[in-house]
Amino acid sequence: MSGTPGGTSPGGVALRVLGFAEVEVPGRLARQVADLEGEAWPGSTPGHDPALAPRTLLLVDGEGTVAAALSLLRKEIRFGGRTYRAAGLSSVVTRTAVRGQGLGGRLVAAARAELAADPAVDLALFSCDRHLAAFYEAAGFAPLPGTVLVGGTPEDPLATDAPGCDKAVMAAFFTAAPARDREAFTGVRVPLHPGGIDRLW
């Protein structure tokens, strides 16, 4: 577990950011996260493919109530003749009662800062509903215009430009030449296999 101050809520309640390997989230917190995800995405199954080294970040008040949660997933991707150590955001959710207070954005910004400080991460790359792109931009990520991520599995691929899938691709580059790498990833199709994953980030 790791933890950092998360500031205070607009109501003055002290908050902190806690980070855990997904399998190590304490039971009381894990149940809250599962409930939040179930409310946001009815019928969803909590948890991620262990091969993606899932890490959970939580914004928690002093009484142990989860205000917001997200997952960080990692995998290597081959692209443009290079192997990149990529991380993606998944399952970003804020408790209904505290939405609109900037708490989800605070947690996403903390996730970006954690990834930027990790020498084992070259880039953050994920998709979101197009209307949420500005939310992620405010936390320090930037859109990749025209870029399509192809996830799913090799047998059953899922692309961010599939019919009925209106997604924006967001990124942050932490390589030695971020401008060059951003240009290489802009306006192209990026396969997230081989190896297959159980979901698109």
Side-chain angles (χ1 to χ4, degrees):
M1 178 191 88
S2 62
T4 59
T8 59
S9 73
V13 176
L15 300 167
R16 59 191 173 132
V17 177
L18 301 178
F20 305 88
E22 186 175 79
V23 296
E24 296 174 359
V25 178
R28 179 172 182 264
L29 298 176
R31 285 188 294 277
Q32 289 184 66
V33 172
D35 289 346
L36 292 177
E37 291 180 3
E39 182 181 321
W41 305 290
S44 65
T45 303
H48 296 86
D49 184 340
L52 300 175
R55 177 168 164 76
T56 301
L57 291 187
L58 306 173
L59 189 63
V60 179
D61 70 18
E63 296 180 355
T65 299
V66 176
L70 62 77
S71 296
L72 297 174
L73 309 178
R74 297 169 188 249
K75 74 175 301 169
E76 291 186 347
I77 57 174
R78 283 286 294 168
F79 183 74
R82 287 185 57 189
T83 299
Y84 291 86
R85 297 165 301 175
L89 274 64
S90 181
S91 305
V92 179
V93 64
T94 301
R95 184 174 295 280
T96 303
V98 296
R99 287 183 185 163
Q101 300 179 20
L103 302 181
R106 189 179 303 175
L107 185 61
V108 170
R112 189 194 182 287
E114 179 173 312
L115 295 175
D118 187 342
V121 175
D122 297 317
L123 61 93
L125 188 66
F126 61 96
S127 66
C128 67
D129 291 341
R130 197 164 298 281
H131 72 275
L132 294 174
F135 167 79
Y136 290 102
E137 281 188 82
F141 295 97
L144 290 176
T147 299
V148 175
L149 300 183
V150 183
T153 65
E155 299 76 26
D156 187 19
L158 174 63
T160 55
D161 68 345
C165 187
D166 188 27
K167 301 289 185 181
V169 175
M170 308 299 292
F173 292 84
F174 313 119
T175 58
R180 179 201 66 202
D181 290 320
R182 174 173 298 286
E183 183 177 339
F185 275 83
T186 299
V188 295
R189 293 181 78 81
V190 181
L192 300 179
H193 345 98
I197 58 175
D198 66 343
R199 64 179 81 189
L200 185 62
W201 289 119

